[in-house]
């Protein structure tokens, strides 16, 4: 990446210009971003990947958030200071889109995508240090929130991701460190899984961006 031209991204011998650089500000073009995301998606996930028309609204929100377009985000009721909670049915493409949008802003720090079940499995092996580990100042997207099992360490049960989210909430209040998540669950299911205390803090942590519940499984 050339820091002087962060709006131009190289993929092999090809260049993709996502907008125009005017002074210190990039005026992004959503259609050009979509062209690049389609190319990058095929590189990451294979030739069968494509941008579906029904996903354009979701992508418009995610892209405006990722490029930090304050004006559009305000219109979309998105708080740039919060993280993203991307929800939708199984197979709608949540994980793929979160992996993709990182690539349109190489000038910004990226986040690490962590499956929630891996966090629980690590807790079962190592214990409470895992909760401390993910309660640090790094930038994470926790994938598939709500499908992970309850953790158990030395015979004691623990809702591991619930504790991690409480730690991340503390970090957000003190330092504005953001957290992202994807989930198949709706708000009521999240509250049933994690309790009202965690759910209320999630409202402060996240912007909710949701696929239509009738969205088709793209894996089929």
């Amino acid at each position: 990446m050339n820091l002087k031209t962060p709006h131009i991204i190289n993929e092999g011998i090809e260049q993709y210009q996502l907008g125009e650089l005017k002074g210190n500000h990039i005026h992004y073009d959503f259609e050009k971003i979509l062209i690049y995301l389609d190319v990058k998606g095929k590189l990451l996930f294979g030739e069968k990947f494509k941008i579906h028309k029904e996903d354009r609204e979701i992508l418009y929100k995610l892209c405006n958030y990722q490029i930090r377009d304050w004006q559009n985000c305000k219109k979309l009721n998105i708080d740039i200071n919060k993280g993203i909670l991307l929800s939708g049915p199984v197979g709608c493409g949540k994980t793929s889109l979160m992996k993709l949008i990182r690539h349109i802003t190489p000038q910004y720090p990226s986040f690490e995508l962590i499956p929630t079940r891996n966090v629980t499995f690590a807790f079962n092996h190592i214990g409470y240090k895992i909760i401390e580990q993910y309660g640090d100042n790094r930038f994470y997207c926790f994938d598939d929130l709500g499908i992970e099992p309850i953790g158990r360490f030395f015979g004691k049960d623990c809702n591991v991701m619930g504790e991690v989210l409480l730690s991340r909430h503390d970090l957000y209040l003190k330092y504005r460190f953001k957290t992202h998540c994807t989930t198949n669950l709706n708000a009521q299911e999240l509250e049933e899984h994690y309790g009202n205390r965690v759910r209320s803090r999630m409202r402060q942590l996240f912007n909710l961006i949701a696929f239509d519940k009738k969205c088709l499984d793209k894996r089929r």
Side-chain angles (χ1 to χ4, degrees):
M1 179 194 69
N2 188 334
L3 290 175
K4 293 183 179 179
T5 56
H7 62 303
I8 300 175
I9 300 178
N10 296 310
E11 293 291 347
I13 62 172
E14 300 294 332
Q15 278 192 343
Y16 297 90
Q17 185 167 333
L18 307 187
E20 299 290 336
L21 185 63
K22 297 183 179 179
N24 293 322
H25 186 71
I26 301 172
H27 293 263
Y28 284 95
D29 184 318
F30 181 58
E31 296 302 325
K32 291 181 179 179
I33 291 176
L34 287 182
I35 291 170
Y36 171 67
L37 289 179
D38 187 65
V39 170
K40 188 65 176 180
K42 286 179 170 59
L43 290 173
L44 291 175
F45 311 120
E47 286 299 318
K48 290 185 178 180
F49 176 87
K50 68 176 182 178
I51 301 293
H52 294 263
K53 288 183 179 179
E54 61 266 29
D55 295 343
R56 284 176 63 97
E57 183 180 348
I58 294 287
L59 271 169
Y60 185 71
K61 292 177 180 179
L62 290 175
C63 289
N64 276 285
Y65 174 87
Q66 186 67 21
I67 65 177
R68 304 182 186 181
D69 188 319
W70 294 86
Q71 289 185 332
N72 277 338
C73 281
K74 188 175 182 180
K75 294 176 185 176
L76 295 165
N77 198 29
I78 293 173
D79 185 343
I80 289 179
N81 293 312
K82 295 183 179 182
I84 294 293
L85 176 62
L86 185 60
S87 73
V90 173
C92 66
K94 301 181 295 296
T95 304
S96 297
L97 294 189
M98 291 306 291
K99 287 180 178 178
L100 264 180
I101 62 168
R102 300 180 292 183
H103 295 282
I104 63 175
T105 52
Q107 70 273 32
Y108 296 150
S110 186
F111 53 84
E112 185 179 358
L113 198 132
I114 307 288
T116 55
R117 62 180 183 173
N118 289 7
V119 179
T120 299
F121 293 156
F123 173 87
N124 294 345
H125 180 65
I126 298 172
Y128 289 87
K129 287 184 179 180
I130 287 298
I131 295 172
E132 295 177 13
Q133 175 182 322
Y134 289 109
D136 62 13
N137 61 0
R138 285 179 288 181
F139 192 2
Y140 298 108
C141 176
F142 295 108
D143 192 35
D144 277 334
L145 184 70
I147 70 160
E148 75 282 354
I150 291 293
R152 173 166 284 211
F153 187 67
F154 279 98
K156 187 176 181 180
D157 289 347
C158 177
N159 191 324
V160 180
M161 282 308 305
E163 293 299 323
V164 168
L165 289 175
L166 290 174
S167 296
R168 301 297 302 181
H169 179 260
D170 289 342
L171 283 172
Y172 173 74
L173 291 181
K174 291 179 182 178
Y175 308 111
R176 286 297 186 260
F177 293 149
K178 290 189 284 190
T179 307
H180 298 327
C181 289
T182 73
T183 185
N184 301 331
L185 306 186
N186 60 35
Q188 182 178 346
E189 291 168 330
L190 286 169
E191 185 165 335
E192 290 172 357
H193 194 86
Y194 296 108
N196 183 61
R197 181 175 174 229
V198 173
R199 175 63 185 137
S200 66
R201 283 156 177 76
M202 289 175 71
R203 294 187 185 96
Q204 291 181 291
L205 271 174
F206 301 120
N207 296 283
L208 175 62
I209 297 179
F211 282 86
D212 191 303
K213 62 182 179 181
K214 297 180 181 178
C215 183
L216 296 177
D217 188 339
K218 300 181 179 71
R219 298 172 186 168
R220 295 179 179 176

